[in-house]
Amino acid sequence: MLKAIMKGSLLLISSVIIITDAVNGCHPKCLCHQFSKTVDCRNRGLTEVPTHLPVGTQILLLSNNRIQKISQHAFTDASALKILDLSNNSISGLLPGTFKELQNLQILNLTKNFIGYVDNRTFSFLPRLKELDLSSNNILSLPGTLGNNTGHITLLSLKHNKLQKIDKLLLESLPNLKVVLFKGNIWQCNCQVFGLKLWLESFLYRGGISDGVICSSPENRKGKDLLKIPYELYGICSSTASQVHQANFHHYSEHRGSMKHAHSSEHGGDGSRSHCEPKPKPRPVSLRHALATVIITGVICGIVCLMMLAAAVYGCAYAAMTAKYHRENSSSGKEKGNQSGERTI
Ligand SMILES: *[C@@H]1O[C@H](CO)[C@@H](O)[C@H](O)[C@H]1NC(C)=O
Ligand SMILES: *[C@@H]1O[C@H](CO)[C@@H](O)[C@H](O)[C@H]1NC(C)=O
Ligand SMILES: *[C@@H]1O[C@H](CO)[C@@H](O)[C@H](O)[C@H]1NC(C)=O
Ligand SMILES: *[C@@H]1O[C@H](CO)[C@@H](O)[C@H](O)[C@H]1NC(C)=O
């Protein structure tokens, strides 16, 4: 009797749970924690984003699944979402409008996927985004900006992708960036990377945190830290006069790879050329430059001093000689006078 009642109530409770789940839309493979507004669907072999989420869900954990594509409407009723973890899935591309409903999203984790291309609209609809993890994907290049709503981004991870370069404009469009991670890419350290170097120096100077840029090519810079390659070696790209190029060619013959690139980009579109030209932006004060200035000033001062000394010596010598000449002249004049006097006498 008691057992039957217990069974009955258990059935009742479980059916109530199922009904509330259905009403709230918890996917059968997920765990929905109402209190923390979290939906946990990790490690469930899911191939798509669960369509219905309990109203007001703030955290959606979808890591370690096999999601390949995200439908344009996957997040239509997820506007309260603050954290979206899609790490370790099989996503190869993102439609530009995928995240457009996520007005409150703060953390978007897309690490360990197969994303190869990022559209400039994909993250454009996320006005509160703070952390964007795009590490361990196949990203070959990034757009010139991540959109016009990226002012709150404080962390950007691009580690372990296939990036050769990054547009300085993209980084400059993230004014609140505090942490940026670059390691594990195939950075090409020719003149194209000059803008990144300038930006990174200024970013670190302002207290930003970065794991640095390690060059992959050209061969002679492989494994080198971008920040430790002196500015002078990028001079080739800045000069547009081909005569200067030829004059420099000999001097920089060991950097032939980048020279070729500089040449080809020079004959290419205007855009690539201006891209390559280091603009006279305010740089953080560099010790090397200060030193160079001191040395040049010293040399010029030395030359001036030497010239003044020479002038002084010359002046003295001249004065002495004229004095001597005058003395001799006057004495010879006297002698002459004497002689003539003798003669007249
Ligand atoms: C990634 O997800 C798969 C399941 O899809 C899992 O077997 C694997 O352990 C996960 N990798 C990591 C690093 O968590
Ligand atoms: C993204 O998820 C991975 C684990 O899958 C974690 O190591 C990493 O810290 C997360 N990134 C962010 C920005 O939270
Ligand atoms: C996105 O990129 C395209 C070219 O690829 C450009 O025409 C467009 O202006 C860009 N949009 C934004 C918002 O940057
Ligand atoms: C970005 O700016 C363009 C025009 O500057 C505007 O049409 C577009 O709606 C903006 N996008 C967002 C997501 O605000």
Side-chain angles (χ1 to χ4, degrees):
M1 188 63 194
L2 202 70
K3 262 187 181 172
I5 292 174
M6 287 246 302
K7 259 186 188 168
S9 57
L10 256 175
L11 213 78
L12 196 75
I13 290 170
S14 51
S15 56
V16 163
I17 288 175
I18 287 167
I19 286 167
T20 49
D21 273 5
V23 164
N24 267 330
C26 192
H27 191 278
K29 284 194 172 174
C30 304
L31 298 170
C32 298
H33 307 286
Q34 280 194 343
F35 199 69
S36 56
K37 298 186 163 63
T38 301
V39 175
D40 183 351
C41 319
R42 290 175 290 178
N43 300 292
R44 295 303 157 104
L46 294 176
T47 52
E48 345 184 275
V49 175
T51 38
H52 294 292
L53 295 174
V55 177
T57 299
Q58 294 186 351
I59 302 175
L60 177 55
L61 307 175
L62 288 166
S63 53
N64 309 341
N65 283 294
R66 294 196 299 265
I67 299 169
Q68 292 183 6
K69 285 208 174 90
I70 303 178
S71 122
Q72 194 86 270
H73 308 291
F75 301 112
T76 38
D77 55 357
S79 58
L81 222 52
K82 288 185 176 167
I83 299 176
L84 175 55
D85 187 352
L86 284 162
S87 60
N88 190 24
N89 276 281
S90 310
I91 303 165
S92 55
L94 294 165
L95 294 169
T98 303
F99 303 119
K100 68 173 183 292
E101 314 292 335
L102 304 177
Q103 296 289 313
N104 292 297
L105 196 68
Q106 296 178 3
I107 300 177
L108 176 54
N109 198 336
L110 288 163
T111 189
K112 296 203 189 85
N113 277 284
F114 304 115
I115 299 167
Y117 170 75
V118 173
D119 190 276
N120 60 8
R121 288 163 294 176
T122 305
F123 307 112
S124 194
F125 306 99
L126 303 169
R128 297 198 168 77
L129 192 64
K130 286 184 184 160
E131 300 185 4
L132 178 57
D133 193 338
L134 289 169
S135 58
S136 302
N137 277 283
N138 291 329
I139 302 173
L140 292 166
S141 72
L142 286 167
T145 94
L146 291 180
N148 37 6
N149 258 323
T150 49
H152 290 101
I153 292 182
T154 57
L155 180 146
L156 175 63
S157 179
L158 300 169
K159 283 190 296 186
H160 304 294
N161 276 289
K162 299 205 173 93
L163 291 167
Q164 298 193 335
K165 57 180 181 169
I166 187 168
D167 201 327
K168 190 161 74 118
L169 286 177
L170 184 144
L171 297 163
E172 282 172 348
S173 71
L174 307 173
N176 282 306
L177 205 58
K178 301 280 181 298
V179 181
V180 62
L181 304 174
F182 286 130
K183 274 219 173 107
N185 280 283
I186 46 171
W187 299 110
Q188 218 177 16
C189 290
N190 54 26
C191 62
Q192 299 259 341
V193 91
F194 192 81
L196 175 59
K197 181 177 162 75
L198 283 183
W199 180 87
L200 194 56
E201 284 186 350
S202 142
F203 177 71
L204 296 173
Y205 181 78
R206 285 180 275 128
I209 296 167
S210 176
D211 57 357
V213 171
I214 304 300
C215 303
S216 254
S217 66
E219 200 55 41
N220 60 327
R221 288 181 200 156
K222 197 168 179 163
K224 285 193 182 151
D225 184 343
L226 173 67
L227 291 179
K228 294 197 176 122
I229 300 175
Y231 280 104
E232 287 71 37
L233 296 186
Y234 298 93
I236 323 148
C237 281
S238 63
S239 51
T240 42
S242 57
Q243 280 182 329
V244 180
H245 270 261
Q246 256 130 41
N248 279 348
F249 193 86
H250 200 69
H251 188 234
Y252 288 107
S253 54
E254 77 262 38
H255 310 294
R256 205 162 276 172
S258 58
M259 276 298 303
K260 267 185 197 149
H261 198 100
H263 270 280
S264 61
S265 67
E266 173 148 304
H267 298 305
D270 243 349
S272 59
R273 185 165 73 188
S274 64
H275 199 256
C276 229
E277 276 171 339
K279 291 164 196 96
K281 282 263 170 178
R283 303 170 180 172
V285 181
S286 142
L287 191 66
R288 205 177 329 112
H289 282 218
L291 212 66
T293 315
V294 166
I295 288 171
I296 288 168
T297 317
V299 166
I300 290 173
C301 278
I303 290 172
V304 169
C305 280
L306 276 177
M307 280 166 72
M308 279 166 71
L309 194 69
V313 166
Y314 179 75
C316 282
Y318 183 75
M321 269 166 69
T322 26
K324 195 179 170 197
Y325 175 75
H326 272 290
R327 226 181 298 128
E328 275 173 6
N329 231 15
S330 57
S331 60
S332 69
K334 268 182 205 157
E335 271 171 31
K336 267 182 194 159
N338 285 350
Q339 278 172 10
S340 55
E342 275 170 14
R343 273 197 202 136
T344 45
I345 287 168

